[in-house]
Amino acid sequence: MSGPDPYTVAGISAGLARSEFSAEEIARHFLARIEALDATINAYVTVTAELAIAQARRADDARRRGEAGPLTGVPVAHKDIFSTSGVRTTCGSRMLADHVAAYDATAVERLRESGMVTLGKTNLDEFAMGSSTESSHFGPTHNPWDLERVAGGSSGGSAAAVAAGLAPVATATDTGGSIRQPAALTGLTGLKPTYGRVSRHGLVAFASSFDQGGLLARTAEDIALVFGAMAGFDERDSTSLDAPVDDYPAALEAPIAGLRIGVQEDQLAHGVDPGVADATAAAIRELEGLGARVRPIRLEHADVGIPTYYMLAPAECSSNLSRFDGVRYGHRAQGAASIEELYVQSRTEGFGLEVKRRILAGTYALSKGYYDAYYGKAQRLRRLIADDYRRAFEEVDVIAGPTTPAPAFRLGDRLDDPIAMYLADVFTVGVNLAGLCAVSVPSGFSDGLPVGLHLTGNHLDEARLLNVAHRFQQATEWHLARPPVEHGRAPESPE
Ligand code: GLN
């Protein structure tokens, strides 16, 4: 392909700046690909074609007036859990199938104000609960690398959209792994920022002490270009961190010689797919070749990450989802004889199986008599897990390992086995329990399916993670691989 790469933010931004194409042409290019390919992939719940063209024209006008920034006219897709004014926000649920928010989430608002063009809203597990995007009311998303397999979850729609070239970048959220796990399974780069780095205002809540917005893109460079516009303090989110936003693009090129990388030696020992283990070991050697120094670390309570997370996250969800009662928001059952029946019927009809399972488990864990044994104990474990990371970061700068134990599994394979589904997050949940940041970077293939390297950083160390990921991507070509979907043609340059 000649000219700027129309599938990266960097390529589109450069092409727009040189007037090689207009924002409207780029928007139409992606809308045409969505039209042609999304019936098989199901990455989008809603495509906002008219909005995209209108925003793109405004971006072109701004450029003519000399008012364009680096993101003006660059398209983006939003996970359908970020509220969007005038465009429905479904959370992948029947409960909110017709819900139109009255305002934009702060993350959406900031990207819109930076000139980005909204292509649509992407599919997800219902209320972001899941690891495969199979619990969506709108049907599963298919992995562009193998349509019979999952794209990961819960941000499977955002991941599949970017992997298939149906968007250059997409917002996503990560409560226990939902940005990094789909990134690994679709060959993308995914950043889960430090808790509080990206405003949760307008992000429909799943587990409020874990939820964090971030990005999925092809490269660390693309994430660096967009992330600064999305991150930063927001007075409308009481857990938002009041810390300066770094210049992420400026941090990309720094050499990583002397970087101290911690590796949990026991992590690759049991239960990890051999292809994943080999790719992870090779990626760590690659980083050593760039001057990093590897040392073993031990995160003593890593093995209780999954039970701790799956106690606390459902507890928070049971409380957050009580607002969907058929009265204030969402689906309302017809013909109820009493207010009690209205609540029960609306929730019975509006929520799917996994959401109900979590509300029940969470309510149980919080109930009188069980609170200390379950919720209280999990809170204490959460503290121990965070302490393990705090000690590790006294000795190392980043922690490296595999993002997932295995590459993408087959659609349907884990639907009857919630525990098997939950174990997809075994390497990612610790980061959310401790509120840290992490990135997944394409690191190779196992049986033709992409796998990811997981890099964990200390609080607010996103710039360093993007730096390490970028240096890795300059030395490797895994992020350049494209799935076997038809890539369409780049928009013609006017010459
Ligand atoms: N898979 C995890 C869960 O089901 C994480 C989901 C997420 O990060 N939103 O809870």
Side-chain angles (χ1 to χ4, degrees):
M1 182 166 45
S2 63
D5 183 345
Y7 299 109
T8 64
V9 173
I12 294 168
S13 179
L16 288 168
R18 293 196 294 260
S19 300
E20 285 167 25
F21 38 70
S22 67
E24 184 174 343
E25 283 172 305
I26 275 291
R28 289 191 187 279
H29 161 79
F30 282 102
L31 292 170
R33 286 184 59 77
I34 294 168
E35 177 87 27
L37 295 167
D38 204 40
T40 46
I41 293 171
N42 200 29
Y44 284 87
V45 173
T46 304
V47 179
T48 53
E50 277 177 38
L51 175 68
I53 300 296
Q55 288 181 333
R57 288 183 178 155
R58 278 203 290 282
D60 286 329
D61 287 344
R63 193 169 298 278
R64 273 190 288 274
R65 290 195 306 270
E67 289 165 10
L71 297 177
T72 304
V74 176
V76 61
H78 293 299
K79 183 175 180 177
D80 203 13
I81 195 164
F82 286 97
S83 298
T84 41
S85 160
V87 175
R88 70 177 176 159
T89 299
T90 70
C91 296
S93 181
R94 181 175 182 210
M95 183 60 88
L96 293 179
D98 304 311
H99 171 69
V100 179
Y103 58 90
D104 279 334
T106 297
V108 170
E109 176 186 83
R110 288 184 179 177
L111 296 181
R112 177 169 50 69
E113 283 172 355
S114 73
M116 295 192 88
V117 169
T118 303
L119 293 170
K121 307 289 295 287
T122 58
N123 201 12
L124 67 158
D125 280 298
E126 187 176 7
F127 287 99
M129 297 174 199
S131 305
S132 68
T133 316
E134 292 173 287
S135 72
S136 171
H137 173 62
F138 300 93
T141 294
H142 298 252
N143 192 319
W145 289 92
D146 177 348
L147 296 173
E148 301 296 309
R149 289 179 189 266
V150 304
S154 63
S155 313
S158 285
V162 178
L166 310 183
V169 58
T171 58
T173 61
D174 193 313
T175 303
S178 283
I179 293 177
R180 294 158 287 156
Q181 185 257 16
L185 270 40
T186 59
L188 297 179
T189 309
L191 175 69
K192 182 266 175 212
T194 306
Y195 180 76
R197 187 42 129 171
V198 170
S199 172
R200 288 187 299 112
H201 175 72
L203 173 64
V204 180
F206 159 13
S208 309
S209 78
F210 297 85
D211 297 343
Q212 186 55 203
L215 292 167
L216 283 156
R218 294 197 180 281
T219 63
E221 180 187 22
D222 278 4
I223 291 181
L225 288 170
V226 180
F227 186 55
M230 177 185 186
F233 178 67
D234 177 12
E235 61 181 17
R236 291 172 295 185
D237 169 4
S238 61
T239 58
S240 170
L241 292 173
D242 194 357
V245 173
D246 295 314
D247 183 344
Y248 301 103
L252 289 175
E253 301 291 339
I256 62 165
L259 181 84
R260 299 168 303 166
I261 298 181
V263 174
Q264 278 172 269
E265 301 241 294
D266 49 352
Q267 200 170 47
L268 292 178
H270 25 241
V272 175
D273 166 87
V276 171
D278 289 350
T280 306
I284 292 170
R285 281 197 301 277
E286 189 73 48
L287 291 170
E288 281 185 290
L290 296 171
R293 293 199 307 268
V294 171
R295 57 175 77 176
I297 58 156
R298 196 167 138 67
L299 298 172
E300 203 183 327
H301 301 89
D303 58 335
V304 293
I306 287 285
T308 304
Y309 170 83
Y310 279 99
M311 192 57 62
L312 296 176
E316 293 189 24
C317 112
S318 73
S319 163
N320 274 326
L321 270 59
S322 64
R323 63 172 63 98
F324 303 108
D325 55 9
V327 178
R328 285 173 292 178
Y329 303 92
H331 177 75
R332 179 175 301 175
Q334 297 303 307
S338 66
I339 185 74
E340 172 85 17
E341 204 177 301
L342 178 73
Y343 291 159
V344 172
Q345 272 310 107
S346 299
R347 289 166 69 81
T348 301
E349 294 168 12
F351 291 137
L353 182 65
E354 182 60 24
V355 170
K356 285 176 183 157
R357 182 183 287 135
R358 300 215 186 181
I359 291 172
L360 285 174
T363 305
Y364 186 82
L366 287 174
S367 58
K368 190 160 183 284
Y370 295 104
Y371 181 95
D372 280 340
Y374 294 114
Y375 184 79
K377 184 169 277 178
Q379 285 288 41
R380 290 194 288 280
L381 286 171
R382 184 177 193 176
R383 167 56 60 87
L384 293 175
I385 289 168
D387 285 346
D388 287 347
Y389 279 105
R390 191 178 43 69
R391 275 190 294 272
F393 281 119
E394 285 166 9
E395 318 235 310
V396 300
D397 303 310
V398 301
I399 298 170
T403 307
T404 61
F409 43 94
R410 287 187 185 283
L411 285 157
D413 258 13
R414 299 194 185 175
L415 279 181
D416 297 330
D417 187 352
I419 304 292
M421 188 71 91
Y422 297 170
L423 285 172
D425 305 313
V426 65
F427 299 139
T428 53
V429 291
V431 164
N432 305 74
L433 286 160
L436 299 163
C437 57
V439 68
S440 180
V441 188
S443 61
F445 289 85
S446 177
D447 284 334
L449 296 166
V451 302
L453 173 74
H454 191 244
L455 298 169
T456 303
N458 211 341
H459 295 109
L460 295 176
D461 223 2
E462 289 87 0
R464 191 203 301 263
L465 286 184
L466 293 171
N467 166 221
V468 178
H470 178 66
R471 298 301 299 211
F472 180 75
Q473 292 182 334
Q474 286 179 319
T476 58
E477 299 203 327
W478 305 117
H479 60 292
L480 300 177
R482 298 286 187 263
V485 289
E486 195 275 312
H487 269 97
R489 274 184 318 130
E492 299 294 338
S493 60
E495 290 297 316

